[in-house]
Amino acid sequence: MPRVTFPHVAESYRSFKMLMEDLGNEVILPPRPSKHTLDLGVRYAPEFACFPVKILLGTYLETCPKGVELIVTSGGVGPCRAGHYAQLHKKILHSLGYPVDIVVFEPPRLYPLDFLHNIQRLNPRRMSYRAIYECVRRAWRKLQALDNVEKLTHKVRPKETIRGATTRTYRRVLEWIDRAYSLVEIEEAERSALEELQKVPQDPNRDVLRVGIVGEVYVLLEPASNLEIEETLGNLGVEVERSLFLTGWTRDNTWAETTEGLTVKEAAMPYLPELLGGHGRDSIGNTVLYAKRGFDGVIQLAPFTCIPEIVARTILPRVSEEHNIPVLTFFLDEQTGKAGMTTRLEAFVDLMRRKKAARRPA
Amino acid sequence: MAARVGIPCSLLYFLYYPTWKTFFNELGAQVIPSGNTTREMLDLGVKEALADACVPIKLYFGHVQVLIGRVDYLFIPRVVCLNRETTYCPKFLGLPDMIRHSFKKIPPLIDVRIDVREGWNALSKAYRQAGLVLGAARGAIALAYRKAMAVERRFFSLLQEGWQPLEAMQILNTAILPRKQKGRLVFAVLGYPYLVHDQYISVGLLGRLKKMGVEVITMENLPPRALYRQNDHLEKRLFWTLGDLVLRAAHYFLRHTRIDGMIHLTAFGCGPDSLVGKFLEMAAHEQQTVPFMSLSIDEHSGEAGIATRLEAFVDMVCRKKEVCL
């Protein structure tokens, strides 16, 4: 059985693990990125490579000594440099003496044959395409369940009456979804997980601010890379809506573009009519949409030196001015500290509260 | 009165200025370049642009700032793709938007989108749009376009004869060929034209090397076809035209030419270079025949630091060759 690993993206590893094992691979689970992961990544990655590449390299360097033979990751068609990272990682890992190979999933719309070839490499049991499809469907459903449960925590956390109750419940119900295997079980687990989360004691009258989060996909999805910004905001009494989830991102990049994707594109048109790769244009489009939906503020998360997000960041002040919505940007890297981030978030929340109070008739 | 079109002397200026100038002049417009980079422009740019942007972008903001108020139009094309294969860095793609939304008072932009993947006549179409902004007739635009392309061909052939862009521009203007100097060493200087050939931001790198008796070849001096065929030993083609060219040029220099040293000039925080630089380093390590140095510059680069490093590198190469003079 080939030993396989993949990047750690929040809780999604639970779904990928199931899929890889179903196809007949031995999975070596990537650990949650830690200080040690980062140190490894920073040591061997190019200095100005963006934050995700360093975390991913660190993750691989933690799992490779355990005998990983194959790394599964996603590619990209540019011009965002993330599309080259798999190749770069492979070169670096080889130069460090790890004989690993990397399976890179590019958008199947553009490279259908490569896609099928990649699937066959991950399919040592030689299952039929029909059987693979069933496995993928279950994994996909699990991914959706994970996303749905996470979305609910963003709504519940700012209203919880016992500090930390939501997070504790969330950790517990994740295990339920993790254990579910068949489609029926997954749906059942999802339902009871959602119910359990709703049972967290809440204060319905609390005045909650609504903040949209936009930015680059990896630092949005992986809490370890953004220092659990969503949890911090929730504890400050802010309801978070993230513009990106793994399911949505995968859909936009595999099948046809979703209508949501197209609305975002349209909203960004007056400011940035060009696709820059990465999520630069989406950051702008989503900011416009959040403003139109009456959100109290927008937070942009981006890795340090991320080119598309820098372009977006240059344009965002104008969007903020014209749509009257405060925008706060964090450029994240290995130097970012949690205390500094929390202070800035507190100030931002303060500003939004005052703005909201001023708007309300006395 | 003729319309005044401002062209910032940064980024693609070093490759396409003669073309652009000819085109607008033929249409009866007056072309106003922002001139050589100065300390003042850099300071303006640093103040105006985002702190996380790279130096060339900050510098471009400075050049634009200098032109504001002096021109009727600013020519800031959105250059996406010129070779059907690779695109430019995302910052080039968003350039007109970044400029438009960063300055309060700004003359109208001529921000035509140039993407040759759209069709065989995409380039002439883009120029036609630019001409129409100035209110020129279609016939006149077609003529101006043909003339501009002829100048472009002449300019690029001068580059391949071994002249650097700024020298070639002078030759085009004055029609006098300066004398070429033979050096005791030959170095390849790799890097984006807006770093290598901007005398201010590169802290006079080319001039310094020349003074030390080093002849310089850059990627602009290589025939495009040879570069295109050059194998860069990557599994996936690099996305960015200029980064791709730098890497191919490096492999070409290492394999097909006899050079005594190779210098990679890169800007602090340059996105594509974080990859290109690493690949270059690996390629140079594999060959091990040519000494390699990477020089990183930003808005704080001082003369002394660069000079010291260059001297040390040249000394090292000399000693290695035992031709110390």
Side-chain angles (χ1 to χ4, degrees):
Chain A
M1 275 205 291
R3 265 172 286 190
V4 172
T5 193
F6 40 81
H8 188 279
V9 185
E11 304 295 336
S12 64
Y13 68 90
R14 297 170 195 271
S15 163
F16 292 142
K17 176 172 184 276
M18 183 177 76
L19 178 62
M20 289 300 147
E21 279 176 353
D22 280 351
L23 295 177
N25 303 288
E26 186 186 336
V27 174
I28 293 183
L29 268 189
R32 186 172 193 268
S34 62
K35 178 89 184 32
H36 177 62
T37 319
L38 255 180
D39 287 346
L40 280 174
V42 168
R43 190 174 320 154
Y44 297 107
E47 186 184 358
F48 291 119
C50 62
F51 197 36
V53 77
K54 294 179 182 168
I55 302 183
L56 256 53
L57 184 63
T59 310
Y60 299 153
L61 285 171
E62 276 186 310
T63 44
C64 278
K66 295 176 190 161
V68 168
E69 291 157 306
L70 208 58
I71 295 171
V72 187
T73 183
S74 64
V77 287
C80 161
R81 56 195 148 140
H84 285 298
Y85 281 163
Q87 285 77 15
L88 178 70
H89 283 143
K90 189 169 157 186
K91 278 204 174 198
I92 295 176
L93 289 171
H94 281 191
S95 73
L96 293 173
Y98 293 114
V100 287
D101 205 0
I102 297 197
V103 172
V104 192
F105 278 95
E106 304 284 352
R109 252 182 314 188
L110 303 174
Y111 307 99
L113 281 178
D114 279 358
F115 184 72
L116 295 179
H117 179 71
N118 280 345
I119 287 180
Q120 284 309 335
R121 290 197 52 193
L122 293 170
N123 178 18
R125 275 192 194 147
R126 294 282 157 254
M127 287 158 63
S128 67
Y129 278 114
R130 197 189 162 84
I132 295 175
Y133 172 75
E134 283 305 316
C135 293
V136 172
R137 222 176 78 168
R138 270 187 301 112
W140 178 250
R141 187 67 191 82
K142 197 175 226 183
L143 206 58
Q144 281 179 323
L146 290 168
D147 277 357
N148 290 340
V149 172
E150 195 187 348
K151 268 181 212 166
L152 186 62
T153 63
H154 296 159
K155 284 201 185 319
V156 172
R157 193 175 287 118
K159 291 190 176 167
E160 68 186 12
T161 48
I162 309 162
R163 198 63 180 298
T166 318
T167 310
R168 278 194 297 276
T169 316
Y170 179 49
R171 296 266 149 250
R172 203 170 71 238
V173 298
L174 277 176
E175 294 303 320
W176 302 353
I177 299 178
D178 196 47
R179 279 199 295 269
Y181 184 74
S182 68
L183 266 180
V184 181
E185 277 170 12
I186 293 170
E187 272 160 24
E188 171 82 31
E190 183 191 10
R191 204 162 36 239
S192 37
L194 292 175
E195 273 169 24
E196 188 74 11
L197 266 176
Q198 286 291 9
K199 275 191 221 149
V200 170
Q202 297 171 51
D203 176 4
N205 299 323
R206 196 176 285 172
D207 185 24
V208 168
L209 291 170
R210 287 202 302 163
V211 165
I213 297 202
V214 301
E216 191 269 344
V217 55
Y218 187 80
V219 294
L220 275 192
L221 294 178
E222 175 54 63
S225 72
N226 61 36
L227 307 163
E228 293 95 17
I229 192 172
E230 282 153 350
E231 208 179 314
T232 314
L233 280 169
N235 290 338
L236 290 170
V238 177
E239 184 186 318
V240 176
E241 189 175 316
R242 201 203 291 155
S243 59
L244 254 174
F245 280 88
L246 196 54
T247 43
W249 179 79
T250 317
R251 235 180 11 220
D252 273 341
N253 287 289
T254 41
W255 291 275
E257 273 179 296
T258 54
T259 40
E260 291 98 17
L262 292 173
T263 344
V264 172
K265 221 191 239 178
E266 207 179 288
M269 261 320 202
Y271 297 98
L272 184 63
E274 186 71 40
L275 175 75
L276 304 175
H279 290 88
R281 186 166 60 180
D282 305 27
S283 292
I284 291 184
N286 280 314
T287 306
V288 173
L289 291 180
Y290 283 134
K292 284 192 176 151
R293 286 169 55 201
F295 274 57
D296 298 297
V298 168
I299 293 177
Q300 182 198 17
L301 294 178
F304 177 61
T305 75
C306 171
I307 328 169
E309 294 299 332
I310 286 177
V311 175
R313 169 67 180 82
T314 315
I315 302 169
L316 275 176
R318 180 64 63 93
V319 183
S320 163
E321 192 187 310
E322 284 181 4
H323 286 88
N324 189 24
I325 186 165
V327 178
L328 176 68
T329 303
F330 284 102
F331 278 108
L332 302 156
D333 67 1
E334 61 271 15
Q335 315 278 354
T336 315
K338 186 148 185 172
M341 179 185 243
T342 311
T343 314
R344 285 180 68 190
L345 283 179
E346 280 166 0
F348 189 61
V349 170
D350 227 35
L351 175 135
M352 287 188 295
R353 268 202 209 294
R354 219 164 291 171
K355 201 160 179 266
K356 198 175 182 184
R359 229 180 324 160
R360 200 177 298 142
Chain B
M1 201 185 89
R4 292 168 304 172
V5 177
I7 296 183
C9 298
S10 188
L11 300 185
L12 290 178
Y13 160 84
F14 296 97
L15 294 179
Y16 296 105
Y17 180 67
T19 320
W20 295 342
K21 182 172 189 269
T22 313
F23 179 73
F24 287 117
N25 277 344
E26 285 299 307
L27 294 178
Q30 189 190 348
V31 171
I32 299 183
S34 59
N36 287 340
T37 306
T38 58
R39 174 89 241 167
E40 204 190 349
M41 284 183 198
L42 187 58
D43 287 345
L44 282 172
V46 167
K47 212 189 298 171
E48 211 59 51
L50 186 70
D52 297 273
C54 56
V55 205
I57 292 292
K58 288 178 186 168
L59 200 56
Y60 197 83
F61 274 66
H63 278 279
V64 168
Q65 181 90 319
V66 167
L67 286 171
I68 288 177
R70 287 172 51 200
V71 295
D72 304 315
Y73 296 96
L74 270 173
F75 183 57
I76 304 180
R78 189 195 302 280
V79 184
V80 179
C81 172
L82 291 176
N83 61 0
R84 286 170 200 278
E85 303 256 334
T86 50
T87 61
Y88 284 80
C89 162
K91 281 173 190 162
F92 283 75
L93 271 52
L95 195 59
D97 308 296
M98 288 206 283
I99 297 289
R100 182 179 297 122
H101 296 295
S102 293
F103 292 98
K104 283 250 148 60
K105 273 170 77 182
I106 192 161
L109 300 188
I110 305 178
D111 61 339
V112 289
R113 184 175 187 278
I114 306 179
D115 183 353
V116 296
R117 289 171 299 185
E118 281 173 354
W120 61 273
N121 60 351
L123 194 62
S124 63
K125 240 191 210 157
Y127 275 96
R128 191 192 310 147
Q129 278 168 359
L132 289 176
V133 175
L134 295 176
R138 273 163 191 270
I141 295 174
L143 275 178
Y145 172 70
R146 265 170 52 194
K147 192 115 187 222
M149 285 301 129
V151 170
E152 185 171 305
R153 279 194 294 275
R154 172 98 184 90
F155 180 66
F156 281 121
S157 67
L158 279 173
L159 291 183
Q160 274 159 59
E161 282 164 27
W163 304 103
Q164 301 306 332
L166 291 179
E167 291 171 330
M169 280 183 209
Q170 202 148 31
I171 296 169
L172 278 183
N173 281 340
T174 57
I176 304 167
L177 285 175
R179 274 235 311 275
K180 245 188 205 167
Q181 278 182 337
K182 268 266 172 251
R184 61 193 167 115
L185 293 172
V186 181
F187 277 11
V189 175
L190 294 163
Y192 304 131
Y194 46 85
L195 288 177
V196 175
H197 301 298
D198 190 318
Q199 284 173 6
Y200 185 85
I201 200 70
S202 71
V203 206
L205 177 72
L206 297 191
R208 267 166 219 277
L209 284 171
K210 208 174 187 180
K211 253 190 215 151
M212 285 187 256
V214 178
E215 222 179 289
V216 170
I217 29 176
T218 60
M219 66 177 191
E220 286 83 28
N221 302 138
L222 295 177
R225 207 164 285 170
L227 277 190
Y228 189 77
R229 283 203 210 111
Q230 178 58 47
N231 184 354
D232 58 4
H233 300 271
L234 293 184
E235 286 172 36
K236 189 172 176 178
R237 181 149 187 195
L238 283 177
F239 298 139
W240 318 280
T241 310
L242 293 174
D244 185 53
L245 283 179
V246 165
L247 192 61
R248 278 168 200 273
H251 279 280
Y252 185 87
F253 283 130
L254 287 173
R255 269 155 237 264
H256 303 295
T257 54
R258 293 182 58 121
I259 47 167
D260 304 306
M262 200 156 87
I263 297 177
H264 180 218
L265 192 67
T266 170
F268 176 87
C270 172
D273 266 358
S274 64
L275 286 166
V276 174
K278 185 81 187 173
F279 288 140
L280 264 181
E281 202 187 301
M282 286 176 164
H285 269 283
E286 269 167 32
Q287 295 277 318
Q288 280 191 345
T289 47
V290 179
F292 172 77
M293 172 169 78
S294 177
L295 257 186
S296 167
I297 47 172
D298 67 0
E299 60 263 43
H300 311 297
S301 296
E303 285 194 14
I306 300 280
T308 314
R309 294 193 61 190
L310 278 183
E311 277 163 23
F313 186 66
V314 172
D315 277 357
M316 189 264 284
V317 174
C318 277
R319 200 158 305 156
K320 199 177 169 209
K321 288 199 65 173
E322 296 178 346
V323 289
C324 223
L325 299 173

